[in-house]
Amino acid sequence: MSKQVVAIYPGTFDPISLGHEDIVLRAAAMFDKVILAVATAHHKKTLFTLDERMDMAREVMSAHPQVEVVPFSGLARDFVRTHQATVMVRGVRTVTDFDYEFQLAGMNRELMPEVETVFLTPSAKYQFITSTFVREISLLGAGDDGQNLVSSGVYKRLLAKKAALSSLAP
């Protein structure tokens, strides 16, 4: 019996975009199990809470039983070892992404030489999408701005967040 190949796809997913979905579903076609590791993001000020980001990711991935959504904090190394993963999946859109991810992959190899990092590029129609763009367009735009960047459930949450923030404005 061969060992199940578990891959970790870590990120803050604030919010999870169609680009993220594309990467995780392509990884799920390559590996037995993919863990979408939603970071607590101590170093970032997120728009959505960890619980909200987890709920959105679980909703988006609900039709894909080989994808598990799990929160994580601390070093990715410890999370990867806890879940007995042998692959780290990273999405790369641009040369700038690659430069950072290449350095990160090198450090991860130093910390856990038994784990391979796999870089996946999103489909062409998603290469420009970042969570930062999604947040800014959805919160600062009008009408259906941002609707084509995220799933419908995530878009509804963005609209609700925008309404909540607008009600707090002076």
Side-chain angles (χ1 to χ4, degrees):
M1 185 169 124
S2 64
K3 182 179 173 187
Q4 183 183 47
V5 178
V6 177
I8 304 290
Y9 179 34
T12 52
F13 306 108
D14 185 39
I16 188 167
S17 71
L18 293 178
H20 293 128
E21 288 182 47
D22 182 55
I23 295 292
V24 74
L25 294 179
R26 290 173 54 237
M30 296 169 56
F31 305 108
D32 299 310
K33 178 179 181 180
V34 176
I35 298 175
L36 187 72
V38 182
T40 55
H42 297 293
H43 62 290
K44 293 184 178 179
K45 184 179 184 322
T46 59
L47 176 63
F48 292 98
T49 67
L50 176 61
D51 287 340
E52 290 170 327
R53 290 181 285 126
M54 291 286 299
D55 288 345
M56 286 185 281
R58 285 185 176 130
E59 178 184 318
V60 166
M61 293 294 128
S62 64
H64 307 282
Q66 73 277 34
V67 178
E68 181 181 1
V69 179
V70 178
F72 95 95
S73 63
L75 287 178
R77 175 201 61 195
D78 299 332
F79 185 85
V80 166
R81 287 184 174 155
T82 297
H83 292 276
Q84 299 177 340
T86 55
V87 176
M88 177 88 72
V89 173
R90 300 300 297 165
V92 178
R93 295 176 308 257
T94 65
V95 172
T96 304
D97 284 351
F98 181 77
D99 185 51
Y100 172 76
E101 294 296 343
F102 184 78
Q103 291 176 52
L104 186 61
M107 183 53 63
N108 283 335
R109 174 153 293 178
E110 181 67 27
L111 295 173
M112 46 187 180
E114 70 281 6
V115 175
E116 292 295 335
T117 298
V118 174
F119 298 116
L120 294 177
T121 58
S123 299
K125 63 184 175 180
Y126 302 127
Q127 286 183 346
F128 65 93
I129 299 175
T130 69
S131 291
T132 300
F133 287 164
V134 168
R135 289 189 307 269
E136 289 179 0
I137 291 167
S138 299
L139 296 179
L140 301 175
D144 62 357
D145 288 344
Q147 187 171 355
N148 60 335
L149 307 175
V150 294
S151 70
S152 61
V154 172
Y155 184 68
K156 288 176 187 170
R157 288 175 187 254
L158 279 162
L159 291 178
K161 186 67 76 170
K162 180 178 181 176
L165 292 172
S166 295
S167 71
L168 298 175

